[in-house]
Amino acid sequence: MVIKPKERNIVYRCPDCGSSIFGLVGRFALKANMLRLKCSCENSLPLDINVTNDKKLRLSVPCLFCRQPHNYVVSENVFFERDLFLLNCPYTGMDIAFIGDEDKIQGELKRTEAEIQRLMTSLEAEELSDIQPTELSDDEILCDPAVFDTLKFLVCDLADENKIKCPCGDGSYNIRYFGKGVEVYCERCGATHAFSATTPSMAEEELSIDSLELK
Ligand SMILES: [Zn+2]
Ligand SMILES: [Zn+2]
Ligand SMILES: [Zn+2]
């Protein structure tokens, strides 16, 4: 018998002071309440988790790199049953929140800490705020964030059901902005599939597909 964990760790970095903020999410606690994690420093944005009507978790995660929250929808199964699940910034591709086993998360925190250090060094930045934009201008926003949310959700679901095929046979999949739209890519072999959806209603239509092949 497989015992399903009832709690999951979630960690994000405060965009203001860079501290790692740890939270524990209980399967049952979450059903009753919205969960909010917040850094103790001034003006910090909270990470919010809400349960949607169809039992998905909707997360709003402050981004260390953009200084604004990004939204994600994750199924309850993915949230509570994966050893490790990463949420990444759609603009920079950097991982901004970590869900899963505490050990695995600690490993990821170390890895991304080094990544941030390298980024800061390469940009000759002294403080976090030196790598953060003051404001995102209109032409930096490539496509509607709702399109990204919907397609991210679709890709997670298909990946969960092993409905994504790619040349390496055993990839791990993620999505990113590409041109004016969104594409899914394999983190292992780099194969991709570009979605043609650019508006939320077009993205909704994509939800009817039941498999994907990356090339
Ligand atoms: Zn802080
Ligand atoms: Zn971001
Ligand atoms: Zn692959």
Side-chain angles (χ1 to χ4, degrees):
M1 187 181 126
V2 179
I3 298 168
K4 292 183 178 177
K6 295 187 183 68
E7 294 181 324
R8 265 303 178 228
N9 294 282
I10 179 164
V11 179
Y12 78 105
R13 285 194 173 90
C14 171
D16 271 325
C17 66
S19 314
S20 300
I21 314 301
F22 289 72
L24 199 60
V25 182
R27 214 185 253 272
F28 299 111
L30 199 57
K31 294 218 192 296
N33 290 305
M34 182 183 97
L35 184 104
R36 169 166 279 192
L37 291 178
K38 207 168 178 306
C39 181
S40 56
C41 77
E42 254 183 284
N43 316 319
S44 74
L45 286 168
L47 178 152
D48 287 329
I49 306 178
N50 287 289
V51 183
T52 65
N53 292 336
D54 53 351
K55 304 219 168 117
K56 314 275 187 224
L57 307 186
R58 177 172 287 277
L59 297 96
S60 170
V61 182
C63 177
L64 183 75
F65 305 97
C66 304
R67 287 192 73 88
Q68 60 164 5
H70 298 312
N71 296 312
Y72 304 89
V73 178
V74 179
S75 76
E76 218 174 291
N77 282 352
V78 165
F79 192 92
F80 286 103
E81 285 159 31
R82 292 263 179 101
D83 292 346
L84 182 68
F85 188 70
L86 308 178
L87 301 177
N88 71 0
C89 163
Y91 299 103
T92 63
M94 302 284 266
D95 298 314
I96 61 166
F98 313 90
I99 299 159
D101 288 348
E102 197 166 357
D103 292 0
K104 294 244 162 72
I105 291 178
Q106 291 294 356
E108 286 302 308
L109 285 174
K110 283 206 190 89
R111 178 183 66 80
T112 50
E113 181 71 44
E115 224 169 64
I116 294 166
Q117 283 307 329
R118 274 200 299 279
L119 180 72
M120 290 186 63
T121 310
S122 72
L123 295 173
E124 295 179 2
E126 280 169 17
E127 292 172 30
L128 266 180
S129 57
D130 296 339
I131 63 168
Q132 294 169 335
T134 39
E135 236 172 77
L136 221 51
S137 70
D138 278 353
D139 44 306
E140 278 175 297
I141 299 170
L142 299 168
C143 90
D144 193 315
V147 172
F148 193 92
D149 283 358
T150 304
L151 296 176
K152 173 117 189 165
F153 169 67
L154 171 71
V155 166
C156 283
D157 242 28
L158 290 173
D160 247 24
E161 291 167 15
N162 286 322
K163 296 278 175 57
I164 302 182
K165 289 201 175 62
C166 93
C168 74
D170 183 28
S172 84
Y173 309 103
N174 213 330
I175 78 166
R176 62 189 169 204
Y177 285 106
F178 171 72
K180 292 277 174 198
V182 174
E183 69 176 10
V184 50
Y185 65 100
C186 170
E187 289 173 332
R188 239 164 247 173
C189 70
T192 60
H193 169 83
F195 290 103
S196 49
T198 49
T199 65
S201 61
M202 285 167 81
E204 295 285 333
E205 276 171 35
E206 300 269 8
L207 291 176
S208 61
I209 63 170
D210 53 14
S211 68
L212 267 182
E213 192 168 349
L214 308 192
K215 294 202 166 87

